[in-house]
């Protein structure tokens, strides 16, 4: 167990951040799954815009890596484009 006040605080902070990061990562995964299941082009495009913004924001905050955010957005965009044809 930690003996210093600063290390105790650091433990509290990291635990709080871990829980918040897990929440946002899970939310993003569910949002991506929801868009991939869509079959209506207009509905999928509207949902894609929101999910893309969410993924880019999580990438900026390092909750997920920027590359992962970009790859997910790219794959979702391809899915939405296929629906539009």
């Amino acid at each position: 167990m930690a003996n210093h006040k600063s290390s105790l605080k650091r433990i509290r902070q990291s635990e709080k951040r871990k829980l918040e990061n897990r929440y946002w990562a899970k939310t993003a995964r569910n949002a991506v799954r929801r868009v991939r299941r869509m079959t209506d082009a207009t509905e999928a495009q509207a949902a894609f815009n929101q999910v893309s913004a969410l993924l880019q924001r999580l990438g900026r905050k390092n909750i997920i890596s920027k590359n992962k955010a970009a790859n997910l957005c790219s794959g979702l965009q391809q899915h939405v484009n296929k629906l539009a044809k």
Side-chain angles (χ1 to χ4, degrees), residues 8-70:
L8 291 171
K9 181 178 179 180
R10 179 60 64 191
I11 290 168
R12 288 194 309 269
Q13 287 175 330
S14 62
E15 184 64 28
K16 182 179 175 184
R17 284 191 190 109
K18 181 177 82 171
L19 291 175
E20 191 167 334
N21 289 345
R22 282 175 56 195
Y23 167 78
W24 282 111
K26 183 68 172 178
T27 300
R29 279 196 303 273
N30 287 335
V32 167
R33 286 184 190 126
R34 194 165 42 250
V35 172
R36 284 187 179 143
R37 281 195 308 261
M38 290 185 176
T39 56
D40 180 41
T42 56
E43 188 179 315
Q45 182 62 47
F48 168 75
N49 291 339
Q50 291 179 338
V51 172
S52 176
L54 171 68
L55 291 172
Q56 296 301 326
R57 188 169 63 246
L58 294 179
R60 278 194 311 271
K61 292 183 174 187
N62 286 326
I63 293 172
I64 60 176
S65 74
K66 287 182 183 181
N67 261 355
K68 180 170 182 152

